[in-house]
Amino acid sequence: MSGVSRRELMVGALAAAGGMALVAPSVAVGADEVATLGATAATHGLLFGSCSRGLLEHGRDGSPVLAADRDYRALFTRECRLMVSELELKMPALRPTPTRWDFRAADLLARLAADNGMAYRGHCLLWHESTPGWVASTVDASSAEAFVNEHVGRVCDRMRGRMHSWDVVNEAIDVQEGTADGLRKSLFLKLLGPRYMDIAFRAAHQADPQAMLCLNDYGIEYDHPYHEARRQALLGTVRRLLDARVPIHAIGIQAHLHAGLRPFSAAVLARFLADIRALGLKVIISELDVPDYRLPADAATRDTATARELRQFLDVALAEPAVVAVVCWGLSDRYSWLNSFAETTRRDGLPARGHPWDDQLRPKALHRELLAALQAAPGRS
Ligand code: G3I
Protein backbone atom coordinates (compact mmCIF):
# COMPACT_ATOMS: atom_id res chain seq x y z
CA MET A 1 0.00 0.00 0.00
CA SER A 2 2.86 2.37 -0.91
CA GLY A 3 2.19 6.06 -0.38
CA VAL A 4 -1.26 5.56 1.06
CA SER A 5 -1.43 5.99 4.81
CA ARG A 6 -3.68 3.72 6.82
CA ARG A 7 -5.24 6.85 8.32
CA GLU A 8 -6.19 8.18 4.91
CA LEU A 9 -7.73 4.88 3.97
CA MET A 10 -9.65 4.57 7.23
CA VAL A 11 -10.87 8.18 7.01
CA GLY A 12 -11.99 7.53 3.47
CA ALA A 13 -13.73 4.33 4.50
CA LEU A 14 -15.54 6.05 7.36
CA ALA A 15 -16.67 8.82 5.03
CA ALA A 16 -17.76 6.30 2.43
CA ALA A 17 -19.61 4.30 5.05
CA GLY A 18 -21.41 7.50 6.12
CA GLY A 19 -24.04 7.20 3.38
CA MET A 20 -21.78 7.98 0.41
CA ALA A 21 -21.73 5.49 -2.42
CA LEU A 22 -18.60 3.38 -2.19
CA VAL A 23 -16.22 3.73 -5.11
CA ALA A 24 -13.91 1.08 -6.43
CA PRO A 25 -10.81 0.87 -4.23
CA SER A 26 -7.75 2.06 -6.05
CA VAL A 27 -5.00 0.26 -4.21
CA ALA A 28 -4.73 -3.12 -2.52
CA VAL A 29 -7.01 -2.35 0.41
CA GLY A 30 -9.54 -4.18 2.48
CA ALA A 31 -13.06 -4.59 1.07
CA ASP A 32 -14.43 -1.81 3.30
CA GLU A 33 -11.70 0.76 2.61
CA VAL A 34 -11.62 3.46 -0.05
CA ALA A 35 -8.50 5.32 -1.21
CA THR A 36 -8.64 9.11 -1.52
CA LEU A 37 -8.01 10.99 -4.76
CA GLY A 38 -4.92 12.58 -3.26
CA ALA A 39 -3.46 9.31 -2.05
CA THR A 40 -4.27 7.56 -5.34
CA ALA A 41 -2.66 10.36 -7.33
CA ALA A 42 0.41 10.23 -5.08
CA THR A 43 0.90 6.52 -5.73
CA HIS A 44 1.27 7.48 -9.41
CA GLY A 45 3.62 10.40 -8.77
CA LEU A 46 0.88 13.02 -9.24
CA LEU A 47 -0.49 15.79 -7.02
CA PHE A 48 -4.28 16.07 -6.72
CA GLY A 49 -6.06 19.08 -5.31
CA SER A 50 -8.71 21.71 -5.65
CA CYS A 51 -9.38 25.42 -5.30
CA SER A 52 -10.17 27.07 -1.98
CA ARG A 53 -13.86 27.91 -2.62
CA GLY A 54 -15.90 26.90 0.42
CA LEU A 55 -13.00 26.90 2.87
CA LEU A 56 -13.14 30.50 4.13
CA GLU A 57 -15.85 32.98 5.05
CA HIS A 58 -15.96 36.42 6.63
CA GLY A 59 -16.14 36.64 10.40
CA ARG A 60 -18.31 39.14 12.28
CA ASP A 61 -15.63 41.79 12.00
CA GLY A 62 -15.20 41.05 8.30
CA SER A 63 -11.90 39.27 8.71
CA PRO A 64 -11.40 35.90 6.98
CA VAL A 65 -12.09 32.81 9.09
CA LEU A 66 -12.38 29.10 8.39
CA ALA A 67 -15.86 28.42 7.01
CA ALA A 68 -18.39 26.86 9.38
CA ASP A 69 -18.89 23.94 6.95
CA ARG A 70 -16.63 21.45 8.69
CA ASP A 71 -17.94 18.56 6.59
CA TYR A 72 -16.70 20.17 3.41
CA ARG A 73 -13.38 21.09 5.00
CA ALA A 74 -13.00 17.48 6.15
CA LEU A 75 -13.71 16.24 2.62
CA PHE A 76 -11.19 18.72 1.22
CA THR A 77 -8.37 17.90 3.63
CA ARG A 78 -9.05 14.17 3.25
CA GLU A 79 -8.99 14.13 -0.55
CA CYS A 80 -6.52 16.86 -1.50
CA ARG A 81 -2.73 17.02 -1.39
CA LEU A 82 -2.75 20.52 -2.94
CA MET A 83 -4.82 23.66 -2.49
CA VAL A 84 -5.00 26.57 -4.93
CA SER A 85 -6.36 29.98 -3.94
CA GLU A 86 -9.53 30.79 -5.90
CA LEU A 87 -9.54 34.48 -4.91
CA GLU A 88 -7.23 35.13 -1.99
CA LEU A 89 -4.01 35.76 -3.93
CA LYS A 90 -5.58 37.76 -6.73
CA MET A 91 -4.83 41.46 -6.88
CA PRO A 92 -8.28 42.66 -5.74
CA ALA A 93 -8.06 40.54 -2.57
CA LEU A 94 -4.47 41.46 -1.76
CA ARG A 95 -4.72 45.15 -2.69
CA PRO A 96 -8.23 46.50 -2.17
CA THR A 97 -6.87 50.03 -2.44
CA PRO A 98 -3.67 51.55 -3.87
CA THR A 99 -2.15 51.81 -0.40
CA ARG A 100 -3.54 48.77 1.44
CA TRP A 101 -2.23 45.19 1.32
CA ASP A 102 -4.21 42.36 2.90
CA PHE A 103 -2.65 38.90 3.14
CA ARG A 104 -4.93 37.62 5.93
CA ALA A 105 -6.97 35.26 3.77
CA ALA A 106 -3.91 34.03 1.84
CA ASP A 107 -2.07 33.39 5.10
CA LEU A 108 -5.04 31.53 6.57
CA LEU A 109 -5.18 29.25 3.53
CA ALA A 110 -1.41 28.73 3.64
CA ARG A 111 -1.69 27.66 7.27
CA LEU A 112 -4.64 25.33 6.52
CA ALA A 113 -2.63 23.76 3.70
CA ALA A 114 0.50 23.36 5.83
CA ASP A 115 -1.46 21.95 8.77
CA ASN A 116 -2.94 19.29 6.47
CA GLY A 117 0.12 18.34 4.48
CA MET A 118 -1.08 20.08 1.33
CA ALA A 119 1.00 21.97 -1.22
CA TYR A 120 -0.18 25.54 -1.79
CA ARG A 121 -0.55 26.90 -5.31
CA GLY A 122 -0.78 30.62 -5.98
CA HIS A 123 -3.35 31.95 -8.45
CA CYS A 124 -2.80 34.43 -10.03
CA LEU A 125 -0.30 37.29 -10.09
CA LEU A 126 -1.40 39.02 -13.30
CA TRP A 127 -4.83 38.55 -14.91
CA HIS A 128 -6.85 41.04 -16.93
CA GLU A 129 -10.04 40.04 -15.09
CA SER A 130 -8.57 40.63 -11.64
CA THR A 131 -6.83 43.95 -12.13
CA PRO A 132 -8.54 46.45 -9.81
CA GLY A 133 -9.89 49.62 -11.35
CA TRP A 134 -7.46 51.77 -9.37
CA VAL A 135 -4.55 50.13 -11.21
CA ALA A 136 -5.79 51.25 -14.62
CA SER A 137 -6.33 54.76 -13.29
CA THR A 138 -2.95 55.09 -11.59
CA VAL A 139 -0.47 53.06 -13.66
CA ASP A 140 0.77 54.31 -17.04
CA ALA A 141 3.47 53.33 -19.54
CA SER A 142 6.13 55.09 -17.50
CA SER A 143 5.26 53.35 -14.23
CA ALA A 144 4.00 49.97 -15.46
CA GLU A 145 7.30 48.09 -15.24
CA ALA A 146 7.90 49.29 -11.71
CA PHE A 147 4.33 48.36 -10.77
CA VAL A 148 4.64 44.81 -12.12
CA ASN A 149 8.01 44.34 -10.44
CA GLU A 150 6.70 45.69 -7.16
CA HIS A 151 3.45 43.68 -7.14
CA VAL A 152 4.89 40.36 -8.25
CA GLY A 153 8.07 40.76 -6.23
CA ARG A 154 6.30 41.71 -3.01
CA VAL A 155 3.65 38.97 -3.23
CA CYS A 156 6.13 36.22 -4.10
CA ASP A 157 8.60 37.41 -1.47
CA ARG A 158 5.85 37.52 1.18
CA MET A 159 4.75 33.96 0.36
CA ARG A 160 8.23 32.55 -0.29
CA GLY A 161 8.85 29.09 1.06
CA ARG A 162 5.14 28.27 1.23
CA MET A 163 4.30 28.01 -2.49
CA HIS A 164 4.34 24.93 -4.70
CA SER A 165 3.71 27.00 -7.82
CA TRP A 166 2.34 30.27 -9.14
CA ASP A 167 0.15 31.16 -12.09
CA VAL A 168 2.32 34.16 -12.89
CA VAL A 169 0.23 35.22 -15.88
CA ASN A 170 -3.33 33.99 -16.39
CA GLU A 171 -5.20 33.93 -19.70
CA ALA A 172 -2.67 35.91 -21.78
CA ILE A 173 -3.97 34.46 -25.05
CA ASP A 174 -6.83 35.91 -27.08
CA VAL A 175 -6.53 35.13 -30.79
CA GLN A 176 -9.73 37.06 -31.51
CA GLU A 177 -8.03 40.37 -30.65
CA GLY A 178 -6.09 40.22 -33.88
CA THR A 179 -2.60 40.72 -32.40
CA ALA A 180 0.14 39.04 -34.45
CA ASP A 181 1.19 36.81 -31.56
CA GLY A 182 -2.37 36.08 -30.39
CA LEU A 183 -1.84 37.88 -27.08
CA ARG A 184 -4.76 39.48 -25.26
CA LYS A 185 -4.77 43.28 -25.27
CA SER A 186 -4.65 43.46 -21.47
CA LEU A 187 -3.69 46.60 -19.60
CA PHE A 188 -0.12 45.42 -19.18
CA LEU A 189 0.22 44.39 -22.82
CA LYS A 190 -0.89 47.87 -23.84
CA LEU A 191 1.52 49.55 -21.42
CA LEU A 192 4.57 47.29 -21.83
CA GLY A 193 4.01 45.05 -24.84
CA PRO A 194 4.58 41.27 -24.57
CA ARG A 195 7.60 41.84 -22.31
CA TYR A 196 5.21 42.38 -19.38
CA MET A 197 5.29 38.61 -19.13
CA ASP A 198 9.11 38.50 -19.08
CA ILE A 199 9.12 41.11 -16.31
CA ALA A 200 6.56 39.23 -14.23
CA PHE A 201 8.18 35.81 -14.51
CA ARG A 202 11.63 37.22 -13.72
CA ALA A 203 10.31 39.12 -10.69
CA ALA A 204 8.56 35.98 -9.42
CA HIS A 205 11.66 33.82 -9.83
CA GLN A 206 13.90 36.38 -8.17
CA ALA A 207 11.55 36.61 -5.18
CA ASP A 208 10.90 32.85 -4.89
CA PRO A 209 13.43 30.70 -6.78
CA GLN A 210 11.82 27.50 -5.49
CA ALA A 211 8.31 28.03 -6.84
CA MET A 212 7.23 26.45 -10.13
CA LEU A 213 6.23 29.32 -12.41
CA CYS A 214 3.28 28.71 -14.73
CA LEU A 215 1.52 30.31 -17.65
CA ASN A 216 -2.15 29.34 -17.24
CA ASP A 217 -4.84 29.39 -19.92
CA TYR A 218 -8.12 27.93 -21.16
CA GLY A 219 -9.68 26.98 -24.49
CA ILE A 220 -6.79 24.71 -25.51
CA GLU A 221 -8.33 21.29 -24.83
CA TYR A 222 -10.49 20.40 -27.84
CA ASP A 223 -10.31 19.60 -31.56
CA HIS A 224 -11.56 22.92 -32.91
CA PRO A 225 -9.93 25.67 -35.03
CA TYR A 226 -10.39 28.24 -32.23
CA HIS A 227 -8.69 25.97 -29.71
CA GLU A 228 -5.92 25.12 -32.19
CA ALA A 229 -5.25 28.81 -32.81
CA ARG A 230 -5.04 29.34 -29.06
CA ARG A 231 -2.72 26.39 -28.62
CA GLN A 232 -0.35 27.68 -31.32
CA ALA A 233 -0.38 31.18 -29.87
CA LEU A 234 0.41 29.77 -26.43
CA LEU A 235 3.25 27.61 -27.74
CA GLY A 236 4.63 30.55 -29.70
CA THR A 237 4.59 32.70 -26.57
CA VAL A 238 6.35 30.00 -24.56
CA ARG A 239 9.04 29.64 -27.24
CA ARG A 240 9.63 33.39 -27.16
CA LEU A 241 9.90 33.40 -23.39
CA LEU A 242 12.31 30.46 -23.43
CA ASP A 243 14.43 32.10 -26.15
CA ALA A 244 14.63 35.17 -23.89
CA ARG A 245 15.73 32.85 -21.04
CA VAL A 246 12.68 33.78 -18.99
CA PRO A 247 12.20 31.41 -16.01
CA ILE A 248 8.97 29.63 -16.96
CA HIS A 249 8.53 26.05 -15.78
CA ALA A 250 5.01 24.88 -16.60
CA ILE A 251 1.83 25.40 -18.55
CA GLY A 252 -1.47 25.39 -16.69
CA ILE A 253 -4.27 23.88 -18.78
CA GLN A 254 -7.45 25.02 -17.06
CA ALA A 255 -9.59 22.16 -18.45
CA HIS A 256 -13.05 23.65 -17.90
CA LEU A 257 -14.46 20.80 -20.02
CA HIS A 258 -17.71 22.25 -21.40
CA ALA A 259 -19.70 19.07 -22.00
CA GLY A 260 -21.20 18.79 -25.47
CA LEU A 261 -19.66 22.02 -26.77
CA ARG A 262 -16.72 20.97 -28.91
CA PRO A 263 -15.33 17.70 -30.37
CA PHE A 264 -12.56 15.99 -28.47
CA SER A 265 -9.55 14.37 -30.13
CA ALA A 266 -7.15 12.24 -28.13
CA ALA A 267 -4.49 12.67 -30.82
CA VAL A 268 -4.80 16.47 -30.84
CA LEU A 269 -4.53 16.75 -27.07
CA ALA A 270 -1.70 14.21 -26.88
CA ARG A 271 0.27 16.13 -29.51
CA PHE A 272 -0.21 19.44 -27.68
CA LEU A 273 1.00 17.91 -24.42
CA ALA A 274 4.00 16.38 -26.20
CA ASP A 275 4.79 19.77 -27.76
CA ILE A 276 4.85 21.31 -24.27
CA ARG A 277 7.11 18.51 -23.01
CA ALA A 278 9.43 19.02 -25.99
CA LEU A 279 9.90 22.61 -24.79
CA GLY A 280 11.07 21.24 -21.44
CA LEU A 281 8.02 22.36 -19.48
CA LYS A 282 5.71 20.51 -17.09
CA VAL A 283 1.88 20.60 -17.25
CA ILE A 284 -0.64 21.26 -14.49
CA ILE A 285 -4.29 20.45 -15.19
CA SER A 286 -5.18 23.54 -13.23
CA GLU A 287 -8.97 24.17 -13.01
CA LEU A 288 -10.68 20.89 -13.85
CA ASP A 289 -14.47 20.81 -13.87
CA VAL A 290 -17.24 19.98 -16.36
CA PRO A 291 -19.74 22.79 -17.06
CA ASP A 292 -23.01 21.00 -17.90
CA TYR A 293 -25.18 23.89 -19.12
CA ARG A 294 -25.56 22.29 -22.59
CA LEU A 295 -26.82 18.98 -21.19
CA PRO A 296 -30.42 17.86 -20.51
CA ALA A 297 -31.90 18.53 -17.08
CA ASP A 298 -31.99 14.92 -15.89
CA ALA A 299 -29.31 14.47 -13.22
CA ALA A 300 -28.42 10.89 -14.14
CA THR A 301 -28.02 11.89 -17.80
CA ARG A 302 -25.83 14.83 -16.85
CA ASP A 303 -23.74 12.78 -14.45
CA THR A 304 -23.06 10.11 -17.09
CA ALA A 305 -22.15 12.69 -19.75
CA THR A 306 -19.91 14.80 -17.52
CA ALA A 307 -18.11 11.72 -16.23
CA ARG A 308 -17.43 10.59 -19.80
CA GLU A 309 -16.20 14.10 -20.77
CA LEU A 310 -13.77 14.12 -17.88
CA ARG A 311 -12.51 10.59 -18.35
CA GLN A 312 -11.75 10.91 -22.06
CA PHE A 313 -9.71 14.03 -21.30
CA LEU A 314 -7.87 12.68 -18.27
CA ASP A 315 -6.95 9.35 -19.87
CA VAL A 316 -4.99 11.30 -22.50
CA ALA A 317 -3.63 13.93 -20.11
CA LEU A 318 -2.39 11.43 -17.54
CA ALA A 319 -0.67 9.36 -20.22
CA GLU A 320 1.61 12.38 -20.73
CA PRO A 321 4.62 12.19 -18.37
CA ALA A 322 4.95 16.00 -18.24
CA VAL A 323 1.62 16.26 -16.40
CA VAL A 324 2.46 16.60 -12.70
CA ALA A 325 -0.78 17.69 -11.05
CA VAL A 326 -4.56 17.51 -11.45
CA VAL A 327 -6.41 20.37 -9.74
CA CYS A 328 -10.21 20.69 -9.70
CA TRP A 329 -11.89 24.05 -9.64
CA GLY A 330 -14.08 22.91 -6.77
CA LEU A 331 -14.69 19.48 -5.26
CA SER A 332 -18.45 19.74 -4.76
CA ASP A 333 -21.57 21.16 -6.39
CA ARG A 334 -22.24 22.70 -2.96
CA TYR A 335 -19.68 25.41 -3.75
CA SER A 336 -19.54 25.96 -7.47
CA TRP A 337 -18.55 29.01 -9.49
CA LEU A 338 -20.48 27.51 -12.40
CA ASN A 339 -23.75 28.90 -11.06
CA SER A 340 -22.31 32.43 -10.81
CA PHE A 341 -21.41 33.06 -14.42
CA ALA A 342 -23.76 33.68 -17.34
CA GLU A 343 -21.89 31.36 -19.72
CA THR A 344 -21.96 28.35 -17.39
CA THR A 345 -25.31 28.93 -15.68
CA ARG A 346 -28.07 26.59 -16.88
CA ARG A 347 -31.04 28.27 -18.56
CA ASP A 348 -33.42 25.93 -16.72
CA GLY A 349 -32.12 27.32 -13.42
CA LEU A 350 -30.97 23.94 -12.18
CA PRO A 351 -27.71 24.04 -10.24
CA ALA A 352 -24.63 22.78 -12.07
CA ARG A 353 -23.38 19.24 -11.42
CA GLY A 354 -19.83 19.80 -12.69
CA HIS A 355 -17.76 18.62 -9.72
CA PRO A 356 -16.82 15.18 -8.30
CA TRP A 357 -19.09 15.37 -5.24
CA ASP A 358 -22.71 16.54 -5.20
CA ASP A 359 -24.14 19.25 -2.94
CA GLN A 360 -24.67 16.66 -0.17
CA LEU A 361 -20.99 15.67 -0.45
CA ARG A 362 -21.84 12.31 -2.01
CA PRO A 363 -19.43 11.10 -4.70
CA LYS A 364 -20.88 11.09 -8.24
CA ALA A 365 -19.91 9.38 -11.48
CA LEU A 366 -17.45 12.25 -11.98
CA HIS A 367 -15.64 11.13 -8.83
CA ARG A 368 -15.69 7.49 -9.95
CA GLU A 369 -14.15 8.33 -13.34
CA LEU A 370 -11.64 10.77 -11.82
CA LEU A 371 -10.52 8.10 -9.36
CA ALA A 372 -10.38 5.47 -12.12
CA ALA A 373 -8.32 7.77 -14.35
CA LEU A 374 -5.84 8.36 -11.53
CA GLN A 375 -5.71 4.62 -10.82
CA ALA A 376 -4.95 3.91 -14.50
CA ALA A 377 -2.33 6.67 -14.80
CA PRO A 378 1.20 5.54 -15.62
CA GLY A 379 3.60 6.25 -12.76
CA ARG A 380 6.02 9.18 -13.00
CA SER A 381 9.03 10.27 -11.00
O1 G3I B 1 -17.71 37.77 -2.19
C1 G3I B 1 -18.35 38.81 -2.97
C2 G3I B 1 -19.72 39.11 -2.39
O2 G3I B 1 -19.57 39.66 -1.09
C3 G3I B 1 -20.45 40.11 -3.32
O3 G3I B 1 -21.74 40.33 -2.82
C4 G3I B 1 -20.50 39.52 -4.72
C5 G3I B 1 -21.19 40.42 -5.70
O4 G3I B 1 -20.31 41.48 -6.03
O5 G3I B 1 -19.16 39.30 -5.19
C6 G3I B 1 -18.50 38.32 -4.39
O6 G3I B 1 -17.19 38.13 -4.89
C7 G3I B 1 -17.17 37.40 -6.12
C8 G3I B 1 -16.24 36.19 -5.93
O7 G3I B 1 -16.10 35.47 -7.15
C9 G3I B 1 -16.77 35.23 -4.87
O8 G3I B 1 -17.96 34.66 -5.31
C10 G3I B 1 -16.58 38.31 -7.20
O9 G3I B 1 -17.50 39.35 -7.46
C11 G3I B 1 -16.36 37.49 -8.47
O10 G3I B 1 -15.68 38.29 -9.44
C12 G3I B 1 -15.49 36.28 -8.16
O11 G3I B 1 -15.40 35.51 -9.33
C13 G3I B 1 -14.29 34.61 -9.39
C14 G3I B 1 -13.57 34.88 -10.71
O12 G3I B 1 -12.55 33.92 -10.96
C15 G3I B 1 -12.93 36.26 -10.71
O13 G3I B 1 -11.93 36.30 -9.70
C16 G3I B 1 -14.80 33.18 -9.33
O14 G3I B 1 -15.34 32.90 -8.05
C17 G3I B 1 -13.67 32.23 -9.67
O15 G3I B 1 -14.15 30.87 -9.70
C18 G3I B 1 -13.09 32.59 -11.03
O16 G3I B 1 -12.05 31.69 -11.32
C19 G3I B 1 -11.48 31.85 -12.64
C20 G3I B 1 -9.99 31.67 -12.52
O17 G3I B 1 -9.46 32.62 -11.62
C21 G3I B 1 -9.34 31.77 -13.89
N1 G3I B 1 -9.92 30.80 -14.82
C22 G3I B 1 -11.39 30.92 -14.95
C23 G3I B 1 -12.03 30.76 -13.57
C24 G3I B 1 -13.54 30.80 -13.69
O18 G3I B 1 -13.96 32.04 -14.15
Coordinates of all heavy atoms in Angstrom, one line a residue, residues 53 86-87 90 123 127 170-171 254 256 287 329 337 341, ligand 1:
R53 N -12.4 27.5 -2.8 CA -13.9 27.9 -2.6 C -14.5 27.0 -1.6 O -14.4 25.8 -1.6 CB -14.6 27.8 -4.0 CG -16.0 28.5 -4.0 CD -16.6 28.3 -5.3 NE -17.8 29.1 -5.4 CZ -17.9 30.3 -6.0 NH1 -16.8 30.9 -6.5 NH2 -19.0 31.0 -6.1
E86 N -8.6 30.4 -4.8 CA -9.5 30.8 -5.9 C -9.5 32.3 -6.1 O -9.6 32.8 -7.2 CB -10.9 30.3 -5.5 CG -12.0 30.7 -6.6 CD -13.4 30.5 -6.2 OE1 -13.7 30.8 -5.0 OE2 -14.2 30.2 -7.1
L87 N -9.5 33.0 -4.9 CA -9.5 34.5 -4.9 C -8.4 35.2 -4.1 O -8.0 36.3 -4.4 CB -10.9 34.9 -4.3 CG -12.1 34.4 -4.9 CD1 -13.3 34.7 -4.0 CD2 -12.4 34.9 -6.3
K90 N -5.4 36.9 -5.6 CA -5.6 37.8 -6.7 C -5.4 39.2 -6.3 O -5.6 39.5 -5.1 CB -7.0 37.5 -7.3 CG -7.1 36.2 -8.1 CD -8.5 35.9 -8.5 CE -8.6 34.6 -9.3 NZ -10.0 34.3 -9.6
H123 N -2.6 31.6 -7.2 CA -3.3 31.9 -8.4 C -4.0 33.3 -8.2 O -4.8 33.4 -7.2 CB -4.4 30.9 -8.8 CG -5.3 31.2 -9.9 ND1 -5.0 31.0 -11.2 CD2 -6.5 31.8 -9.8 CE1 -6.1 31.4 -11.9 NE2 -7.0 31.9 -11.1
W127 N -3.7 39.0 -14.1 CA -4.8 38.6 -14.9 C -5.7 39.8 -15.3 O -6.0 40.6 -14.4 CB -5.6 37.5 -14.1 CG -6.8 36.9 -14.9 CD1 -6.9 36.8 -16.2 CD2 -8.0 36.5 -14.3 NE1 -8.2 36.2 -16.5 CE2 -8.8 36.0 -15.3 CE3 -8.5 36.4 -13.0 CZ2 -10.1 35.4 -15.1 CZ3 -9.8 35.8 -12.7 CH2 -10.5 35.4 -13.8
N170 N -2.1 34.8 -16.1 CA -3.3 34.0 -16.4 C -4.0 34.5 -17.6 O -4.2 35.7 -17.8 CB -4.3 34.1 -15.2 CG -5.4 33.1 -15.3 OD1 -5.3 32.0 -15.7 ND2 -6.6 33.6 -15.0
E171 N -4.4 33.6 -18.5 CA -5.2 33.9 -19.7 C -4.6 35.1 -20.5 O -5.3 36.0 -20.9 CB -6.6 34.2 -19.2 CG -7.2 33.0 -18.5 CD -8.7 33.2 -18.0 OE1 -9.3 34.2 -18.4 OE2 -9.2 32.3 -17.3
Q254 N -6.3 24.9 -18.0 CA -7.5 25.0 -17.1 C -8.4 23.8 -17.1 O -8.9 23.4 -16.1 CB -8.2 26.3 -17.3 CG -7.4 27.6 -17.0 CD -8.2 28.8 -17.1 OE1 -9.4 28.8 -17.2 NE2 -7.5 30.0 -17.0
H256 N -11.6 23.5 -18.1 CA -13.0 23.6 -17.9 C -13.7 22.9 -19.1 O -13.8 23.5 -20.2 CB -13.4 25.1 -17.8 CG -12.8 25.9 -16.7 ND1 -13.2 25.6 -15.4 CD2 -11.9 26.8 -16.6 CE1 -12.5 26.4 -14.6 NE2 -11.7 27.2 -15.3
E287 N -7.7 23.7 -13.5 CA -9.0 24.2 -13.0 C -10.1 23.2 -13.5 O -11.1 23.6 -13.9 CB -9.3 25.6 -13.5 CG -8.2 26.6 -13.2 CD -8.5 28.0 -13.6 OE1 -9.7 28.3 -14.0 OE2 -7.6 28.9 -13.6
W329 N -11.5 22.7 -10.0 CA -11.9 24.1 -9.6 C -13.2 23.9 -8.8 O -14.2 24.4 -9.1 CB -12.1 24.9 -10.9 CG -11.9 26.4 -10.6 CD1 -12.9 27.4 -10.7 CD2 -10.7 27.1 -10.2 NE1 -12.3 28.6 -10.4 CE2 -11.0 28.4 -10.0 CE3 -9.4 26.6 -9.9 CZ2 -10.1 29.4 -9.7 CZ3 -8.5 27.6 -9.6 CH2 -8.8 28.9 -9.4
W337 N -18.6 27.7 -8.7 CA -18.5 29.0 -9.5 C -19.4 28.9 -10.7 O -19.9 29.9 -11.2 CB -17.1 29.4 -9.9 CG -16.6 28.5 -11.0 CD1 -16.1 27.2 -10.9 CD2 -16.6 28.8 -12.4 NE1 -15.8 26.7 -12.2 CE2 -16.1 27.7 -13.1 CE3 -17.0 29.9 -13.2 CZ2 -15.9 27.7 -14.5 CZ3 -16.9 29.9 -14.6 CH2 -16.3 28.8 -15.2
F341 N -21.8 32.4 -13.2 CA -21.4 33.1 -14.4 C -22.4 32.8 -15.5 O -22.9 31.6 -15.7 CB -20.0 32.6 -14.8 CG -18.9 33.3 -14.0 CD1 -18.8 33.0 -12.7 CD2 -18.2 34.3 -14.6 CE1 -17.8 33.6 -11.9 CE2 -17.2 35.0 -13.8 CZ -17.1 34.6 -12.5
Ligands
G3I1 O1 -17.7 37.8 -2.2 C1 -18.3 38.8 -3.0 C2 -19.7 39.1 -2.4 O2 -19.6 39.7 -1.1 C3 -20.4 40.1 -3.3 O3 -21.7 40.3 -2.8 C4 -20.5 39.5 -4.7 C5 -21.2 40.4 -5.7 O4 -20.3 41.5 -6.0 O5 -19.2 39.3 -5.2 C6 -18.5 38.3 -4.4 O6 -17.2 38.1 -4.9 C7 -17.2 37.4 -6.1 C8 -16.2 36.2 -5.9 O7 -16.1 35.5 -7.2 C9 -16.8 35.2 -4.9 O8 -18.0 34.7 -5.3 C10 -16.6 38.3 -7.2 O9 -17.5 39.3 -7.5 C11 -16.4 37.5 -8.5 O10 -15.7 38.3 -9.4 C12 -15.5 36.3 -8.2 O11 -15.4 35.5 -9.3 C13 -14.3 34.6 -9.4 C14 -13.6 34.9 -10.7 O12 -12.5 33.9 -11.0 C15 -12.9 36.3 -10.7 O13 -11.9 36.3 -9.7 C16 -14.8 33.2 -9.3 O14 -15.3 32.9 -8.0 C17 -13.7 32.2 -9.7 O15 -14.2 30.9 -9.7 C18 -13.1 32.6 -11.0 O16 -12.0 31.7 -11.3 C19 -11.5 31.8 -12.6 C20 -10.0 31.7 -12.5 O17 -9.5 32.6 -11.6 C21 -9.3 31.8 -13.9 N1 -9.9 30.8 -14.8 C22 -11.4 30.9 -14.9 C23 -12.0 30.8 -13.6 C24 -13.5 30.8 -13.7 O18 -14.0 32.0 -14.2

